[in-house]
Amino acid sequence: MSFTTPPPLGDEQVVAIVAPSRPTDETKLQIGRDRLAALGAETRVFPTATPDNDEPASPAARAADIEDAFADPEVGAVMAYTGGDDQLRILRHLDGDILAANPTRFFGYSDNDNLRLFLWNHGIVSFGACIHPDVICDGELHSYTARYLQRALFEESLGPVEPAPEWTDDWFDFETRDPREWRDNPAPETWVGPEAGGDEPVSGRVWGGTFAIIKWHLQTDRYLPNPERLDGSILALETSEDVPPPREVGYTLRAMGERGLLERFDGVILGRPRTNAPTLEWDPNPETYPDELKSVVTRELERYAPDAVAGFGYDFGHTEPSFPLPLGAVATLDPADGALRFGRG
């Protein structure tokens, strides 16, 4: 099956803001709209994202909003307001033929990876960014996020991605709007499997996203692609503010291995993990957590995909700042220096 990278946002087109997971906050929504306008992207709020909604709309209504936005010729991109934990329920209501007939750049991640994996199955490339938190945190939009978001909105492909110069693991307080602490960002690390063919770059179409969503799709077994379509792909994985214990990540990758899925990937890219959240059921060590994740990932790759190449610590997903990971695009990972670039789908 061929893939389509929807065209960039046109001069007379708008970004449709939808809420396929949770309702919007009026103040935060307006900050997001203003900052997108500063990037050159005018916006239109669709019904499920109107701030008057106290509860999420029905799954059918949220699905209809997405279909309407894709089919509207004045809409050049669709962006989710935020994530959540309920988007899996809208997928049964989506008409994939409508989306495929009207390919439009969709932006979202976390819970929105449900929709992005659905779009992947229909050959549509999508991008990973939301209004909240990516666009609205801090006193101004981080220059790193702004650079790659603008590229994802207006250019043909994301192209080469450089590491962010800094990053933060602190939560932004929207009440006080106090500045966060930023720290130097280490370069990505790479791992080459014991049976890999040297240190040559690997290329493949990106599949994956947030760990929890991948696990839900494995559990429901309704929206996984035909396994053969994953041959030669790049698995993208990031762990979100849930901060799952590394053993859980290892167990899921092991299950993918036993299912015959992990061996199909030629490469893996792991997003820089968040290590704190307002409510956690365990107390991860922020100094050791990234290495613990790397250890379980490489262990399962050695077992099931020993010829794969993996890279760790990229700036996508729930880390800040971040670039909008394009699911479905072709990624090239160079193990020599961890360089990462994305081409068209």
Side-chain angles (χ1 to χ4, degrees), residues 19-22 56 62 80 82-91 106 108-117 130 209-214 216-217 238 240-242 318:
S21 294
R22 286 191 313 214
R62 284 178 273 159
T82 191
D85 59 11
D86 190 57
Q87 197 174 120
L88 184 66
R89 296 200 302 143
I90 78 170
L91 300 186
F106 177 75
Y109 68 107
S110 195
D111 198 28
N112 297 286
D113 285 337
N114 281 292
L115 176 55
R116 296 219 290 155
L117 290 173
C130 293
T210 303
F211 170 70
I213 309 308
I214 293 173
W216 292 352
H217 281 230
E238 58 97 12
S240 85
E241 76 275 16
D242 290 342
H318 288 77

Side-chain angles (χ1 to χ4, degrees), residues 174-195:
F174 284 98
E175 296 297 326
T176 66
R177 303 195 69 82
D178 289 339
R180 295 187 284 181
E181 178 183 352
W182 297 84
R183 63 200 77 178
D184 291 340
N185 194 12
E189 300 178 13
T190 55
W191 172 89
V192 178
E195 298 180 16

Side-chain angles (χ1 to χ4, degrees), residues 129-150:
C130 293
I131 298 291
H132 177 285
D134 304 84
V135 178
I136 64 174
C137 283
D138 302 306
E140 59 184 16
L141 181 60
H142 195 284
S143 59
Y144 182 87
T145 299
R147 182 201 319 169
Y148 289 104
L149 179 56
Q150 194 164 41

